[in-house]
Amino acid sequence: MTEMVRKITLSRAVRTMQDLFPVEYNFYPRSWILPEEFPLFVDEVQMMKESDPSWKPTFIVKPDGGCQGDGIYLVKDPSDVRLTGSLQNRPAVVQEYICKPLLVDKLKFDIRLYVLLKSLEPLEIYVAKDGLSRFCTEPYQEPTVKNLHQVFMHLTNYSLNIHSGNFIHSDNANTGSKRTFSSILCRLSSRGADVKKVWSDIISLVIKTIIALTPELKVYYQSDIPAGKPGPTCFQILGFDILLMKNLKPMLLEVNANPSMRIEHEQELSPGVFENVPSPVDEEVKVAVIRDTLRLVDPQKKKRKNTQSQTSEQVSETKDELLDAGPADGLEYDTSKTTEAGLPSLCLKQVFPKYAKQFNYLRLVDKVAALFIRFLGVKGTTKLGPTGFRTFIRNCKLSNSNFSMASVDILYIDITRRWNSMGIDHRESGNAILYLKILEAFLVALVAQAHPKLQKLTLMEIHLSLDFFLLSVGQRHFLQEVPYSTV
Ligand code: ADP
């Protein structure tokens, strides 16, 4: 998961989905991967500027693998020396900067929302019904050359803003530099905003993002815990960072695989002397997430369920019901008062498979990954050695009199050489083919196949096009064996 949510990997995974489903995936800012896509970035920006001369963009550059605002800066133009000068040093993502965020008390803020990925197969997702809002500490102004470097104005990271003289620790969830998201929603609701729509959009963003991550994640998972092997049951608490735009549209900034669960903050008693003091806002949100997670993943749950089911009806929910009220675009929180174990649900609400019907058509790439796993027989490793490659070719019935096993071996050596020369890390691959690189190539080919005509294609046609693609790479054997509906 840590690999999957790195800035470059996440951007790539979302991009694949944006290419296939541009409307559904418009919640992620346009992004380019550096250094490899720098020329593309320059060209596309140039083209967009030419087609709309009033467009005055700003871009945010984020080093891959960075966190807490580390190494992030803003530029107005691709030719900025900060950008061109650092291109070779560290891979990064450059992204369109969202210039018009929603402001509260004139300040920019973002939302940290906790999401439980309870299971990958079958997919089960829970979203916490409250999150944290982390505030900047300088009043916001739209980016200009003069204010680009003002991190307390543009970056909402707690770890940065805590060092601002304006940071306010507050015991109250409605004030200060860190507040509950529900307090923001209450405020918006009192001003007449449609907060149910905001929630519905956020839930949709979360489900779609996880759908974008699952194909590769499954390959990783399969390589660690092959099917049939009684492995550990895994779950992951993810921290989604979301920015609300002025028009209340949520935009995904990033996903954290290891979100901070601290419920204290440091206070400077005297210069250089710090003390840990409780942070009620963190405690309110995070304790509930941990408690619900443990209840949901508790292996003893089933046993207890039987003994407690008689009393479960009597347990009532303690939290306020604002977020549980009526439907918005069909996506709302589960209003049931109890978790499966019969205990009150504090905060985690199931959103998938609850809303699976509305999102299943987006799981196309997931199906490709499933075929991929089946054909490559990913087991116990992320590397495909020469023997595994031979088996793959045999499984796909690709070898024949024109394509002998000796040619397969030569092809294998050729691919590994080519990838090594493309900079795919030697230590990472150990001179073998990485499954994930094949999947990546496979997906690029799929998207390239579907993309030019995509606007005009119906879903059925996309499926057909995928089938032809599979056929064209020689997977007839599989298609004959498996009923069409499964494919
Ligand atoms: P990090 O992992 O270092 O925190 P983020 O992607 O979360 O990196 O970015 C840090 C901060 O920068 C965010 O919390 C947000 O305030 C701001 N930010 C990031 N991307 C954008 C964007 N595209 N538009 C506007 N602000 C952004």
Side-chain angles (χ1 to χ4, degrees):
M1 184 60 90
T2 315
E3 268 313 304
M4 279 314 304
V5 300
R6 284 173 76 95
K7 292 181 170 60
I8 287 184
T9 334
L10 176 72
S11 294
R12 215 190 286 277
V14 175
R15 166 102 55 88
T16 302
M17 297 305 284
Q18 283 177 329
D19 284 345
L20 291 167
F21 305 101
V23 176
E24 288 86 342
Y25 279 81
N26 67 3
F27 58 81
Y28 189 68
R30 219 182 327 234
S31 306
W32 297 265
I33 292 160
L34 302 181
E36 63 186 74
E37 291 179 354
F38 185 70
L40 187 71
F41 169 54
V42 174
D43 286 354
E44 289 193 356
V45 170
Q46 178 71 21
M47 256 165 48
M48 288 186 281
K49 279 185 173 166
E50 276 165 16
S51 69
D52 177 8
S54 67
W55 187 55
K56 300 270 178 281
T58 302
F59 302 98
I60 183 163
V61 186
K62 312 184 200 182
D64 189 41
C67 60
Q68 305 192 326
D70 167 39
I72 292 182
Y73 56 92
L74 306 186
V75 294
K76 287 298 263 179
D77 195 87
S79 64
D80 191 301
V81 282
R82 268 190 98 175
L83 181 56
T84 49
S86 67
L87 269 183
Q88 299 311 324
N89 299 343
R90 200 172 166 188
V93 166
V94 58
Q95 197 169 72
E96 209 175 324
Y97 185 76
I98 299 158
C99 295
K100 294 189 190 304
L102 176 72
L103 304 183
V104 166
D105 299 336
K106 300 200 172 77
L107 300 168
K108 175 174 170 177
F109 67 97
D110 76 352
I111 307 157
R112 160 58 60 85
L113 197 66
Y114 296 94
V115 170
L116 171 67
L117 181 54
K118 184 175 172 245
S119 146
L120 195 55
E121 193 73 76
L123 189 58
E124 265 187 75
I125 308 169
Y126 289 74
V127 175
K129 81 181 209 178
D130 204 354
L132 296 168
S133 302
R134 301 162 309 178
F135 279 71
C136 278
T137 41
E138 287 285 341
Y140 183 77
Q141 287 166 11
E142 284 196 29
T144 59
V145 177
K146 280 197 181 140
N147 70 29
L148 280 186
H149 61 280
Q150 296 200 29
V151 288
F152 298 146
M153 177 186 289
H154 291 294
L155 306 188
T156 49
N157 299 78
Y158 166 78
S159 51
L160 291 175
N161 283 282
I162 185 96
H163 299 296
S164 148
N166 296 338
F167 193 93
I168 303 167
H169 288 293
S170 163
D171 286 352
N172 185 325
N174 306 306
T175 57
S177 300
K178 204 190 253 186
R179 312 182 193 178
T180 58
F181 179 44
S182 54
S183 75
I184 306 284
L185 286 174
C186 275
R187 212 153 138 170
L188 291 176
S189 170
S190 69
R191 289 189 210 155
D194 185 352
V195 296
K196 285 177 205 152
K197 166 93 168 67
V198 174
W199 263 119
S200 171
D201 290 347
I202 289 177
I203 293 170
S204 164
L205 173 154
V206 167
I207 295 175
K208 287 174 188 170
T209 305
I210 292 186
I211 286 178
L213 296 177
T214 52
E216 279 190 46
L217 202 54
K218 278 184 183 166
V219 176
Y220 274 118
Y221 187 94
Q222 193 77 19
S223 68
D224 276 344
I225 307 166
K229 183 180 165 216
T233 310
C234 306
F235 67 92
Q236 185 106 19
I237 297 174
L238 297 166
F240 272 67
D241 290 350
I242 295 167
L243 191 69
L244 280 185
M245 300 209 307
K246 208 171 177 174
N247 62 5
L248 299 184
K249 177 179 168 58
M251 296 293 283
L252 175 69
L253 296 180
E254 72 161 350
V255 181
N256 290 276
N258 195 10
S260 162
M261 284 295 165
R262 276 193 78 174
I263 52 170
E264 291 172 326
H265 62 79
E266 273 183 356
Q267 210 163 44
E268 194 164 15
L269 296 176
S270 53
V273 182
F274 293 92
E275 185 191 44
N276 280 335
V277 293
S279 165
V281 178
D282 285 287
E283 196 166 328
E284 184 176 338
V285 172
K286 294 175 183 173
V287 170
V289 171
I290 299 283
R291 284 176 68 176
D292 268 9
T293 300
L294 293 179
R295 283 174 183 161
L296 284 163
V297 300
D298 179 4
Q300 298 293 318
K301 187 178 64 186
K302 282 212 176 83
K303 280 190 205 156
R304 278 207 303 275
K305 191 179 170 190
N306 298 336
T307 51
Q308 290 184 347
S309 56
Q310 291 109 340
T311 54
S312 66
E313 302 296 305
Q314 297 146 18
V315 186
S316 67
E317 184 136 85
T318 48
K319 294 269 298 182
D320 94 58
E321 298 284 309
L322 172 74
L323 307 177
D324 279 347
D329 283 359
L331 306 187
E332 51 153 336
Y333 273 120
D334 184 349
T335 51
S336 61
K337 304 265 187 232
T338 55
T339 60
E340 286 168 57
L343 294 163
S345 155
L346 292 179
C347 72
L348 289 178
K349 303 289 181 184
Q350 195 201 76
V351 296
F352 201 97
K354 188 173 182 201
Y355 299 120
K357 264 197 198 141
Q358 294 168 56
F359 296 94
N360 270 341
Y361 75 100
L362 300 174
R363 302 185 72 193
L364 181 70
V365 181
D366 225 32
K367 290 179 191 170
V368 176
L371 289 174
F372 174 84
I373 289 168
R374 163 147 183 184
F375 267 92
L376 264 71
V378 181
K379 251 187 247 131
T381 173
T382 50
K383 294 169 192 165
L384 181 70
T387 317
F389 191 64
R390 275 175 163 231
T391 313
F392 165 59
I393 299 288
R394 254 190 234 112
N395 284 349
C396 300
K397 303 230 152 118
L398 282 176
S399 63
N400 54 36
S401 52
N402 292 327
F403 190 42
S404 66
M405 274 302 154
S407 321
V408 171
D409 291 343
I410 293 169
L411 179 65
Y412 180 86
I413 295 167
D414 193 40
I415 294 175
T416 48
R417 270 213 204 114
R418 221 170 328 138
W419 282 359
N420 285 334
S421 70
M422 277 161 57
I424 293 166
D425 195 340
H426 251 265
R427 275 158 304 157
E428 192 192 354
S429 68
N431 244 350
I433 298 183
L434 294 170
Y435 283 113
L436 283 157
K437 286 287 159 200
I438 307 181
L439 179 62
E440 202 180 296
F442 202 68
L443 293 179
V444 167
L446 163 72
V447 172
Q449 160 104 352
H451 194 233
K453 291 172 273 166
L454 198 67
Q455 311 298 341
K456 290 176 229 117
L457 290 181
T458 64
L459 198 63
M460 189 61 194
E461 283 167 329
I462 294 173
H463 279 275
L464 277 176
S465 136
L466 173 61
D467 289 354
F468 283 124
F469 172 71
L470 293 173
L471 280 168
S472 67
V473 293
Q475 311 212 348
R476 295 182 186 83
H477 167 62
F478 181 75
L479 291 176
Q480 277 160 14
E481 265 191 358
V482 178
Y484 181 79
S485 56
T486 317
V487 175

